[in-house]
Amino acid sequence: MTQGLVRGVDREGVAGSGDIADRAWEAAQGYDGKYYGVPFNSQAFALLIRKDWREKVNAQLPSSWDELIQLAVTFTDDDPDGNGKKDTAGMVVPGSTTRGYLTWWFSTMLWSEGGDFVKRQGDGYTAAVDDPASVKAVEKLQAMFCDSKVVQPGASTADSATTHTVFESGKGGIYLTGPYMLPRFDGSLGKDTYEVVAAPPGAGGEAAALAEGENVYLMAGSGNEKGQQAFAEFAASPAGQKIGLGLDNGGIIVRLPVNTTVDGAAERKDPRWDVFQKVYDEHGRNAPALPNWATVRQISSEGLNGVVSECSRDVAGAMGELSAEIDAELEKQGAKG
């Protein structure tokens, strides 16, 4: 958008726009409130938990983030795979700073604990990572890496390609990820080995979860703008959505339908997808529509990585420093409230 590559979209002028979920439209909205794409895919994040491990250690499904962390401790300490070795990680975390992975993963936990990266202030935003609730959430994150050590070895440098392998190889018990991993893990682990569960509420009392989406962008300078829009409208239509949900492509073109008249779980005949759909509908939360959220995500990921990589680091002090960095970036983007 900043490079002038895409043109704006008149939401009301898109055929069938009323059937597209409001949350999906949010993911196509810029900082100026205008729309710059037509949604065609959405997703939210939920927990994949090794059901056989949970039953082996006689544990219940967690009803809070504190209980979830305790389940991760049990999976780490109590030999859930029964091989007589302490070689399992309770929680699988992509903690790398690459592309802001740690922020991407931590968003769900932070929001559920009542914290945030940024918050509204006036007509813009201000940093919120040094707010009390945010600091407490980051302290819990640091403890997972440093005290209880429930994360997999090398978590602070792991991206999702690594963490996928950790979970499917039987070395990790809890994985917060998207629905696009179900076909792969069904093949590598077996669908009866793990269960799909919504992330529980945290100290903030909210069961928030990161939501994301993809859009059809209408490129600027096209000599066929009507054709562009017709394709975008088809991609978001029931017919287009059902093609994207197709079992022959693993359900990864459209993960969760943006069109509210389409039932993705029924199309796939797999109720586990409905867990992700309900998370998206009831608790999904998009990243803030900053002029450039990717830069803020990267800055925050590097700040978080610092406190999980250096266990002696004071969290409150580190979040104060990170807050100043985020505010400076918001000022640079013209988004500081």
Side-chain angles (χ1 to χ4, degrees):
M1 179 182 127
T2 57
Q3 295 177 32
L5 297 177
V6 298
R7 59 187 176 90
V9 171
D10 174 15
R11 175 175 172 175
E12 299 305 317
V14 173
S17 64
D19 291 332
I20 300 175
D22 287 340
R23 184 161 289 123
W25 275 116
E26 283 179 13
Q29 196 169 25
Y31 179 70
D32 59 4
K34 298 178 181 178
Y35 299 95
Y36 291 90
V38 177
F40 78 90
N41 171 54
S42 60
Q43 65 188 34
F45 293 79
L47 298 168
L48 308 187
I49 299 177
R50 284 294 296 262
K51 182 180 180 182
D52 53 342
W53 288 16
R54 186 176 63 78
E55 293 174 344
K56 172 84 163 37
V57 300
N58 196 30
Q60 301 298 311
L61 287 173
S63 59
S64 69
W65 265 91
D66 285 344
E67 288 184 9
L68 178 63
I69 293 171
Q70 183 53 52
L71 179 60
V73 171
T74 302
F75 280 174
T76 303
D77 294 341
D78 291 3
D79 188 25
D81 62 357
N83 69 352
K85 301 176 182 178
K86 190 174 179 180
D87 60 354
T88 53
M91 191 80 72
V92 181
V93 178
S96 171
T97 60
T98 302
R99 292 169 52 204
Y101 264 115
L102 184 52
T103 290
W104 178 78
W105 181 90
F106 183 56
S107 298
T108 295
M109 179 179 176
L110 177 64
W111 293 335
S112 297
E113 290 289 306
D116 213 331
F117 296 103
V118 297
K119 61 186 176 184
R120 277 283 186 184
Q121 180 171 284
D123 293 332
Y125 288 86
T126 189
V129 288
D130 59 344
D131 287 356
S134 299
V135 171
K136 288 183 179 178
V138 178
E139 287 174 342
K140 289 183 181 181
L141 177 70
Q142 185 188 57
M144 289 165 58
F145 279 74
C146 300
D147 298 336
S148 57
K149 295 181 172 63
V150 299
V151 301
Q152 81 278 9
S156 63
T157 59
D159 60 14
S160 63
T162 301
T163 51
H164 296 341
T165 302
V166 171
F167 186 72
E168 70 184 350
S169 65
K171 295 300 182 182
I174 304 169
Y175 193 16
L176 180 70
T177 190
Y180 46 83
M181 295 310 301
L182 296 187
R184 172 170 166 172
F185 292 154
D186 285 355
S188 57
L189 284 172
K191 65 186 300 182
D192 296 330
T193 304
Y194 67 98
E195 51 200 337
V196 179
V197 181
E206 184 181 0
L210 177 64
E212 294 180 325
E214 279 80 45
N215 310 304
V216 176
Y217 294 100
L218 311 185
M219 308 309 288
S222 170
N224 187 13
E225 292 188 355
K226 288 184 178 180
Q228 286 182 322
Q229 181 152 332
F231 173 75
E233 291 169 344
F234 176 76
S237 73
Q241 294 281 283
K242 289 177 182 179
I243 290 173
L245 289 166
L247 297 178
D248 58 342
N249 61 55
I252 58 172
I253 295 175
V254 170
R255 294 154 186 178
L256 301 178
V258 299
N259 194 301
T260 57
T261 68
V262 177
D263 185 337
E267 289 292 322
R268 292 189 173 94
K269 299 180 175 59
D270 185 344
R272 298 175 303 167
W273 286 82
D274 199 41
V275 175
F276 288 98
Q277 185 68 62
K278 288 180 178 178
V279 168
Y280 180 84
D281 292 342
E282 298 172 11
H283 307 296
R285 184 169 168 179
N286 291 306
L290 298 177
N292 190 343
W293 163 248
T295 302
V296 176
R297 181 179 62 194
Q298 187 63 37
I299 291 170
S300 60
S301 183
E302 290 168 4
L304 292 169
N305 188 272
V307 300
V308 301
S309 300
E310 187 179 337
C311 295
S312 61
R313 192 90 182 273
D314 174 65
V315 170
M319 291 304 100
E321 294 171 9
L322 177 57
S323 177
E325 288 185 61
I326 292 175
D327 276 340
E329 176 59 28
L330 292 173
E331 188 75 46
K332 181 180 177 182
Q333 294 185 19
K336 181 71 171 72

